[in-house]
Amino acid sequence: MIFSSTRRVFGMILGVALAAGLAAPAEAQKRQNTIRFAYDQVPENVDPYFNNVRIGVIIAHQVWDTLIYRDPKTNEYKGQLATAWRWVDDKTLELDLRRGVKFHNGVEFSADDVVYTLNFVANPANRSTTQSNVNWIDRVEKIDAHKVRIITKRPFPAAIEYLAGPIVIHPAAYYEQAGPKGMNEKPVGSGPYRVVEHQIGRSITLQRNPDYFRDGPKPQPQIERIVIRFIPDRQTQVAEMLSGGLDFVMNIAPDQAQQMRAVPTLQIVSGGTMRIVFLNLATTERSPAPQLRDLRVRRAIAHSIDRQTMARQLVGEGSQVINAICFPTQFGCDASQAMVYDYNPAKARELLAEAGFPNGFELELHAYRERNQSEAMINYLRAIGIRATLRFGQYAAMREQIRAHRASMAHQTWGSFSINDVSASTPVYYKGLDDDISRDPKVIELLERGDSVTDPQQRIAAYREAHKIITEQAYSVPLYNLVTFYAAARDLEFKAYPDELPRFWEMRWK
Amino acid sequence: MFNYTLKRLALAALVALAVSALAFVLLRLSGDVAIAIAGEGARAEDINAVREQYGLDRPLVVQYFDWLGRTLQGDFGQSLYFRTPVFDLIVTKIQTTLILAVLSIGFALALSIPLGVMAAVWQNSWIDRLCLWIAVAGQALPNFFFALCLVMVFSIGLGWLPVSGADSWEHFVMPTVALGYYVTPPFMRLVRAGMIEVLGADYIRTARAKGLPASTVILRHGLRNALVPVVALTAVQLGFLLGGSIVIETVFALDGLGYLAYQAISQKDFPVIQAVLMLLSVGYVLLTLLADLVNAWLDPRIRVG
Amino acid sequence: MSDIVQTNPVAAAVVPPSRFKRRVLRHKGLMIGSIIFAVIVLVALLAPFISPHDPYAQDLNNRLVPPVWYERGSWLNPFGTDNLGRDYLSRTLYGAQISLLIGISVMLISGTIGTALGLAAGYFGGRIDLVVTFIITTRLALPVVLVALAVVAMVGGTLFIVIAVLGLLKWDRFAVVMRSATQQVRSLDFVEAARASGASQLRIILREVLPNVMPHLIVVGTVEAASAILLEAALSFLGLGVQPPLPSWGLMISEAKNFMFFSFWLIAIPGAALALLVLSINMMGDGLRDVTAPDSRS
């Protein structure tokens, strides 16, 4: 009885408080034309090349510009800092640069900035964090003040996609003098917002860039100020939203988002993302669970998990079951010949018994996020007799275990850096690289071909065949894509995109 | 007094040394620094290169003294995650944590002294028991739960206090209560025991016999003497609070030392973990040293013993 | 240092058994605490027989069903179901096992270490005392939460690791109290007599000293068991405690905190269970302190 009355009391308090004007703080923000946003992780460095957290990507696109822009609505490429581009040969991309663009420190943008930035980050000695974003660049040459050529190490058809994603341009002179460290303390870019204050580990304040160039693909920003605070505990973020201390948060847990819909001062928006989830199985000779080397065991695992129900119940609206290890809109993500496993625990038990494990066996599941989904998978496995222990930790720790061949199963998620091409997803896990724990030579060869031939039809064919083998061999269980839930003050106008990138330059107060 | 001070100082130095060695070995045994430094995507040969470059292939003892030498010169090394000097990081974070710790101790004292005095004056009555319950009851909840309950009532429900951050004094109210409440019981017990002892002493009876009002006797004569051991406990608890604020700093998004430590732990940022551990331990050693000296100064009998 | 000098002026007077029994029975707090604790222990032992469902059996189509006292609740799941559709009552009942296991194992490990050190230091005095005092002081200077977190984070959080780490860290109070209690017992007549009769040191410690410091040991033990249970909850909050799907109360609380503002019962049920357990242990500890002290409130 106690609990029901506490809830009633709390509900009452909440109702009264909201009615009595907790909306007031949000009103004030509206008048000051500010958005207060919070994120749970602190970027190790705001320089986009020196962090690998989502908030880093978000800040990157507010403060900096890329050469090319991908319209999130049509997936069409548009010129941003570049105005036109063409492949001179299959390893040389020539770009014409926009004139009249100014960096936040007043310096005019030119070819030197592109040349310096890309040559700097492509040099492995400078240790930019995500090497795969830049290691396809061999060198960059200046043709004239507004024309450059990027020479790739090998034919790399996905280059355009990378130039529209993680690759931003720094002002050469400033970057040369300040370096990544100075860029973190006092960031300078050319984007719609400039950083006016960076209290490292605590907050970053962005101010509208009044000199942002017109007729680019990003419109002129409307909101005057964006205050980004770092609040580690999601629950605290929700409390801030409920009490009117924040205007915008993302990555709310689905159940909580559902419950927050009832709060009149808030709006909850959800959007499916490009981040896919899959259960990866170690099948090489060094696998810590030799049982997984038996195809029947792997197929049993694939049959044991009810992906449909997990997607619907745990991930939420906007989540789709996937049948290959890639996001369906990615170029080359052709799952038409992939083998699909239905939820069938009886069959799973049969397969296990056939493989000689009628009473199941024990192994470990490594995971680093969406712990409730790991937990659900463990329970599904338990139902067919496989007893999995959860090893939950930071991504880096999990990766370390995988690479040391100490992880038999990994609950992986992959966002492809929002790159809409399969070269950014499937090969990461199946092309014989460090995170590949099945290492099938045939698959490696097919992915190699898909990544390097230029003819689109040949690329697709190669990838299709790779997906077929991966699923037939059940090297992993493809699950679904994740959904991001955003909570915002009711009067904030914004749109959610699959790339999990809030575009503050598009937002405005109603 | 001089000899005593010297002896205590030597002991403190020895303890600090032992703690630093222990912390060093413990961290080294539980994780591979080279892998952490080499970072994501590092291959075996990269990791070996790091191991050589940083001298991690040397015996642990040699590494320890090398680290100790540099630490004593004020060089705490570089943060692996933030890639800035650890010293700078700590300097920017320590203020928040110190403020929180001092406020929490203040809150604990403000709560426990009256409770302790009341409990002692009305010893063994229902008031005594009530006072104990006030000090202890909430502690049966994990403190993050208690903290979130405060948020639920005072921020969401009543809208009186901001949920998180460290920009104004209002931001510190709930963290102070949530942290301070958890160190209240030892103070309360100590004050109560001290008061009971003091109230039974001869000079209090004399004062009473002289007809001084009860409140004067209790507050002027009794409390002053009962508080001596509290000084020592304060020092000890301050050290405890500095280490115990991890959870509270995380809940209230206070960007202090505790949160830095938590972050460093999740990121395997060894130099930072080591420095924070060292700092807290040495801080504790110094505080207890200080408490001992103050006590010796207040009570000459200790010096002899 | 201060801690050691100052903690617990121990009263060594031994209360005769008959009076002791009367004191125990007349001490309300002690009795209530013991009864609650006994019930929780019973629940833990009987969990497999009284749980209505398998605590691990999930039903994703039947998630977050509220308890029976809500409108939407039903007797099928009297405490409702959690976010994976598992029966919350069953998980709460099984949770008693895990939380008790943590509290008691940590207490046993740390109690053994601390008592051994404290007895040795208190009984032998001199150089041994100096060394033990030094070890205790060093241990006190290490911040428990931080060290526990760091080690668990590096090694990985499993039930075994959490118990081992907490057990190896939390012996300080045992050592401090045992040391000063032993110091006082050491010079008592019967110990002197045993020594004079030529009994071995070990025999004296185990036969004469230990039984006489036992009451203090039990009091410290209760405090430490309660604090270990709470520490596990704090570790769970930071994601480094016992791993799911094990149903520890600490873990249930930290998982339910996501639902705290909207489905308060999810956190209130394990929260209340944990609070009851901790309170009952503390009441037993306080009660034992009272009944074993010579100036008892009886």
Side-chain angles (χ1 to χ4, degrees):
Chain A
M1 300 305 139
I2 295 171
F3 306 130
S4 88
S5 61
T6 6
R7 195 183 83 139
R8 224 170 293 138
V9 169
F10 175 64
M12 216 170 65
I13 297 176
L14 190 68
V16 170
L18 291 173
L22 270 186
E27 287 295 323
Q29 297 312 313
K30 195 171 151 182
R31 249 177 286 125
Q32 290 179 3
N33 203 8
T34 299
I35 294 177
R36 293 160 305 164
F37 169 54
Y39 203 82
D40 53 352
Q41 273 173 307
V42 179
E44 56 263 55
N45 185 322
V46 174
D47 182 340
Y49 293 105
F50 290 89
N51 69 66
N52 62 354
V53 288
R54 168 82 359 204
I55 183 66
V57 179
I58 294 171
I59 294 170
H61 287 269
Q62 321 299 324
V63 177
W64 284 273
D65 283 322
T66 48
L67 288 164
I68 299 171
Y69 183 83
R70 175 158 57 84
D71 189 315
K73 291 175 196 121
T74 59
N75 283 336
E76 178 193 344
Y77 296 112
K78 295 175 174 173
Q80 187 156 260
L81 287 177
T83 48
W85 55 90
R86 64 208 68 87
W87 286 100
V88 176
D89 57 54
D90 63 359
K91 291 204 277 187
T92 309
L93 181 68
E94 188 177 81
L95 299 108
D96 303 334
L97 303 180
R98 191 180 292 273
R99 289 154 202 266
V101 174
K102 275 204 174 93
F103 285 104
H104 300 148
N105 59 0
V107 174
E108 188 112 3
F109 162 72
S110 77
D112 295 325
D113 302 308
V114 180
V115 172
Y116 182 79
T117 306
L118 297 193
N119 282 332
F120 180 85
V121 296
N123 180 356
N126 292 322
R127 307 186 54 121
S128 79
T129 306
T130 308
Q131 282 292 322
S132 64
N133 281 344
V134 287
N135 65 6
W136 51 274
I137 301 174
D138 181 47
R139 62 185 192 279
V140 183
E141 289 166 1
K142 176 178 174 178
I143 304 299
D144 63 41
H146 293 96
K147 189 175 285 214
V148 294
R149 279 187 175 178
I150 299 175
I151 292 99
T152 63
K153 285 180 184 152
R154 51 198 157 76
F156 191 67
I160 309 287
E161 183 59 34
Y162 283 81
L163 291 177
I167 297 184
V168 301
I169 303 301
H170 288 315
Y174 179 74
Y175 201 42
E176 191 166 9
Q177 166 238 319
K181 187 166 180 290
M183 199 46 110
N184 181 41
E185 284 154 11
K186 224 179 156 310
V188 174
S190 61
Y193 284 94
R194 56 197 175 89
V195 177
V196 286
E197 195 189 15
H198 183 193
Q199 295 187 297
I200 293 175
R202 187 179 288 189
S203 69
I204 295 176
T205 306
L206 309 180
Q207 177 103 37
R208 194 170 71 88
N209 174 8
D211 303 323
Y212 189 62
F213 66 91
R214 282 161 204 285
D215 37 78
K218 293 182 193 171
Q220 292 292 313
Q222 298 294 312
I223 305 279
E224 193 55 40
R225 238 170 209 281
I226 316 287
V227 181
I228 304 170
R229 284 180 50 207
F230 300 108
I231 301 182
D233 190 36
R234 292 262 166 83
Q235 218 37 47
T236 310
Q237 293 180 7
V238 169
E240 285 280 18
M241 286 304 295
L242 292 177
S243 66
L246 285 174
D247 306 305
F248 186 73
V249 292
M250 57 192 286
N251 298 327
I252 305 266
D255 289 317
Q256 202 157 38
Q258 214 51 47
Q259 292 168 322
M260 284 170 84
R261 285 187 204 276
V263 181
T265 54
L266 300 179
Q267 55 172 323
I268 305 298
V269 174
S270 67
T273 71
M274 281 183 72
R275 184 168 290 273
I276 56 166
V277 184
F278 55 100
L279 183 64
N280 221 7
L281 309 174
T283 63
T284 60
E285 273 166 32
R286 295 177 65 187
S287 167
Q291 298 92 337
L292 295 178
R293 293 177 55 75
D294 189 319
L295 176 61
R296 289 165 298 190
V297 172
R298 301 200 295 270
R299 287 189 167 165
I301 292 175
H303 278 300
S304 75
I305 295 170
D306 188 350
R307 310 180 292 161
Q308 207 77 48
T309 307
M310 280 182 76
R312 194 177 60 240
Q313 293 290 346
L314 298 183
V315 191
E317 203 181 312
S319 175
Q320 296 293 328
V321 164
I322 54 169
N323 291 321
I325 309 303
C326 50
F327 186 69
T329 68
Q330 283 180 320
F331 180 86
C333 187
D334 184 341
S336 57
Q337 289 185 23
M339 187 153 165
V340 178
Y341 299 86
D342 59 333
Y343 172 54
N344 192 340
K347 186 161 178 198
R349 269 188 295 265
E350 226 167 80
L351 281 165
L352 267 190
E354 237 174 75
F357 304 104
N359 301 315
F361 53 90
E362 283 176 17
L363 80 178
E364 286 183 339
L365 171 64
H366 289 252
Y368 74 105
R369 60 179 277 176
E370 318 300 336
R371 194 161 79 162
N372 63 329
Q373 294 174 25
S374 318
E375 210 176 334
M377 281 191 259
I378 288 176
N379 288 329
Y380 276 129
L381 289 173
R382 210 171 170 276
I384 64 162
I386 298 178
R387 297 168 296 280
T389 318
L390 180 60
R391 300 296 303 267
F392 195 86
Q394 289 288 316
Y395 183 63
M398 169 169 126
R399 210 166 180 184
E400 201 181 298
Q401 296 291 318
I402 290 172
R403 292 179 177 186
H405 304 277
R406 282 197 293 263
S408 36
M409 284 196 299
H411 173 187
Q412 290 275 17
T413 85
W414 185 248
S416 304
F417 301 101
S418 303
I419 291 165
N420 209 13
D421 188 287
V422 156
S423 67
S425 56
T426 321
V428 176
Y429 294 95
Y430 302 98
K431 207 172 81 171
L433 304 172
D434 291 327
D435 292 312
D436 187 347
I437 52 177
S438 47
R439 295 184 185 264
D440 182 321
K442 183 84 181 109
V443 174
I444 293 174
E445 192 198 313
L446 284 165
L447 291 174
E448 198 73 67
R449 190 183 331 143
D451 283 1
S452 52
V453 294
T454 31
D455 176 53
Q457 286 317 313
Q458 283 182 30
R459 287 191 72 201
I460 290 199
Y463 288 132
R464 187 192 301 127
E465 183 66 19
H467 293 312
K468 180 168 178 251
I469 300 178
I470 294 169
T471 49
E472 273 175 359
Q473 289 296 317
Y475 290 136
S476 74
V477 185
L479 296 166
Y480 35 73
N481 66 317
L482 289 181
V483 174
T484 300
F485 287 87
Y486 305 83
R490 192 192 43 211
D491 289 340
L492 189 69
E493 220 176 83
F494 79 101
K495 197 174 169 336
Y497 294 102
D499 60 6
E500 299 168 87
L501 183 67
R503 290 161 165 80
F504 289 112
W505 63 82
E506 277 183 9
M507 298 187 189
R508 61 189 195 87
W509 287 102
K510 274 182 228 166
Chain B
M1 184 75 193
F2 180 71
N3 271 344
Y4 175 80
T5 310
L6 218 59
K7 248 201 300 194
R8 274 284 179 253
L9 264 175
L11 185 62
L14 221 56
V15 169
L17 204 66
V19 170
S20 71
L22 203 63
F24 189 86
V25 172
L26 212 60
L27 285 183
R28 282 304 162 84
L29 289 185
S30 41
D32 191 332
V33 197
I35 294 179
I37 296 176
E40 271 172 50
R43 275 187 282 267
E45 57 263 35
D46 299 337
I47 295 169
N48 282 332
V50 167
R51 205 163 271 147
E52 262 169 49
Q53 187 193 338
Y54 285 77
L56 296 169
D57 45 356
R58 297 169 302 166
L60 207 56
V61 187
V62 178
Q63 290 185 49
Y64 167 67
F65 281 107
D66 181 48
W67 170 78
L68 187 68
R70 277 183 288 112
T71 304
L72 288 177
Q73 290 163 31
D75 174 12
F76 291 91
Q78 287 263 324
S79 157
L80 303 180
Y81 186 68
F82 291 105
R83 303 193 196 189
T84 51
V86 175
F87 185 80
D88 297 357
L89 271 177
I90 288 179
V91 166
T92 55
K93 314 274 173 185
I94 200 164
Q95 194 194 357
T96 310
T97 303
L98 277 180
I99 295 175
L100 180 62
V102 171
L103 285 175
S104 302
I105 283 283
F107 174 79
L109 289 175
L111 187 65
S112 59
I113 292 176
L115 286 177
V117 170
M118 283 200 288
V121 171
W122 287 285
Q123 195 189 339
N124 293 340
S125 71
W126 64 271
I127 295 180
D128 184 4
R129 240 153 257 162
L130 182 71
C131 290
L132 186 69
W133 268 91
I134 293 175
V136 174
Q139 329 258 307
L141 295 177
N143 64 350
F144 67 88
F145 186 19
F146 181 70
L148 284 170
C149 286
L150 289 180
V151 169
M152 196 158 119
V153 174
F154 293 101
S155 300
I156 302 177
L158 300 168
W160 289 350
L161 294 166
V163 179
S164 66
D167 300 329
S168 70
W169 67 268
E170 285 134 323
H171 286 97
F172 280 94
V173 176
M174 287 191 294
T176 299
V177 173
L179 191 55
Y181 183 47
Y182 279 77
V183 290
T184 305
F187 282 112
M188 192 263 173
R189 290 209 169 97
L190 201 60
V191 172
R192 178 180 176 272
M195 277 304 280
I196 289 175
E197 197 184 320
V198 169
L199 289 177
D202 290 344
Y203 64 98
I204 294 285
R205 291 205 201 110
T206 320
R208 275 204 174 128
K210 279 200 292 193
L212 291 176
S215 58
T216 316
V217 174
I218 291 168
L219 294 181
R220 179 94 50 84
H221 300 273
L223 192 57
R224 219 171 63 189
N225 289 294
L227 282 188
V228 174
V230 173
V231 175
L233 188 65
T234 305
V236 175
Q237 291 291 340
L238 202 59
F240 168 79
L241 279 183
L242 286 173
S245 61
I246 297 180
V247 170
I248 295 302
E249 284 183 20
T250 309
V251 170
F252 293 103
L254 290 171
D255 178 35
L257 219 49
Y259 180 50
L260 177 70
Y262 173 51
Q263 240 178 340
I265 287 169
S266 350
Q267 306 291 354
K268 295 206 167 188
D269 198 339
F270 283 89
V272 176
I273 309 175
Q274 221 143 49
V276 175
L277 254 177
M278 191 64 210
L279 193 74
L280 292 178
S281 308
V282 171
Y284 176 89
V285 171
L286 288 179
L287 285 171
T288 46
L289 175 71
L290 194 73
D292 278 352
L293 295 181
V294 168
N295 272 335
W297 180 61
L298 288 173
D299 184 353
R301 278 174 303 173
I302 298 177
R303 270 177 256 165
V304 187
Chain C
M1 287 156 263
S2 290
D3 250 15
I4 297 173
V5 178
Q6 306 246 336
T7 321
N8 293 0
V10 165
V14 179
V15 183
S18 62
R19 241 180 81 205
F20 180 72
K21 197 172 160 195
R22 210 168 53 233
R23 277 183 174 184
V24 169
L25 289 176
R26 283 178 53 188
H27 194 289
K28 262 187 249 150
L30 180 56
M31 289 315 292
I32 297 173
S34 309
I35 291 170
I36 299 176
F37 184 73
V39 170
I40 295 175
V41 171
L42 211 62
V43 161
L45 291 176
L46 295 179
F49 308 105
I50 54 177
S51 292
H53 301 272
D54 176 355
Y56 299 100
Q58 71 184 3
D59 177 1
L60 295 186
N61 291 314
N62 195 27
R63 306 164 59 240
L64 296 171
V65 172
V68 65
W69 53 87
Y70 281 70
E71 284 153 41
R72 293 199 298 114
S74 85
W75 280 106
L76 195 63
N77 305 103
F79 279 9
T81 61
D82 69 3
N83 65 329
L84 294 178
R86 294 170 299 198
D87 181 54
Y88 218 47
L89 174 61
S90 306
R91 287 187 74 72
T92 309
L93 294 177
Y94 272 89
Q97 287 182 343
I98 311 284
S99 290
L100 277 175
L101 182 70
I102 291 168
I104 291 172
S105 324
V106 170
M107 181 188 79
L108 288 178
I109 297 173
S110 54
T112 310
I113 300 173
T115 308
L117 286 174
L119 278 175
Y123 182 78
F124 294 108
R127 207 163 285 167
I128 294 182
D129 185 31
L130 217 64
V131 171
V132 172
T133 309
F134 181 75
I135 297 177
I136 297 175
T137 317
T138 308
R139 160 52 209 90
L140 281 171
L142 282 175
V144 178
V145 180
L146 197 56
V147 175
L149 261 183
V151 175
V152 174
M154 305 292 169
V155 185
T158 61
L159 185 60
F160 175 76
I161 296 283
V162 169
I163 289 175
V165 168
L166 292 183
L168 292 176
L169 278 173
K170 288 182 60 59
W171 49 264
D172 51 299
R173 205 183 312 219
F174 284 103
V176 171
V177 173
M178 279 305 100
R179 174 175 165 274
S180 56
T182 309
Q183 277 172 345
Q184 293 178 30
V185 174
R186 164 177 73 175
S187 49
L188 292 181
D189 292 344
F190 57 91
V191 179
E192 296 288 352
R195 210 173 285 147
S197 74
S200 76
Q201 304 279 35
L202 191 67
R203 194 187 155 88
I204 298 176
I205 293 180
L206 293 181
R207 280 289 181 75
E208 309 293 337
V209 180
L210 192 58
N212 283 289
V213 295
M214 210 41 144
H216 304 292
L217 189 60
I218 295 171
V219 171
V220 178
T222 58
V223 175
E224 290 302 305
S227 120
I229 291 168
L230 286 173
L231 255 178
E232 190 269 323
L235 286 181
S236 286
F237 167 75
L238 297 169
L240 292 167
V242 173
Q243 291 297 322
L246 268 188
S248 103
W249 286 345
L251 184 65
M252 286 169 78
I253 294 175
S254 64
E255 287 197 329
K257 101 187 148 55
N258 288 342
F259 301 88
M260 160 155 192
F261 299 134
F262 299 97
S263 306
F264 194 68
W265 56 270
L266 265 176
I267 198 167
I269 290 171
L274 189 90
L276 263 182
L277 175 58
V278 171
L279 274 180
S280 71
I281 295 177
N282 280 339
M283 280 164 90
M284 282 176 16
D286 277 340
L288 284 171
R289 197 195 328 255
D290 286 346
V291 298
T292 52
D295 62 329
S296 169
R297 308 167 169 175
S298 49

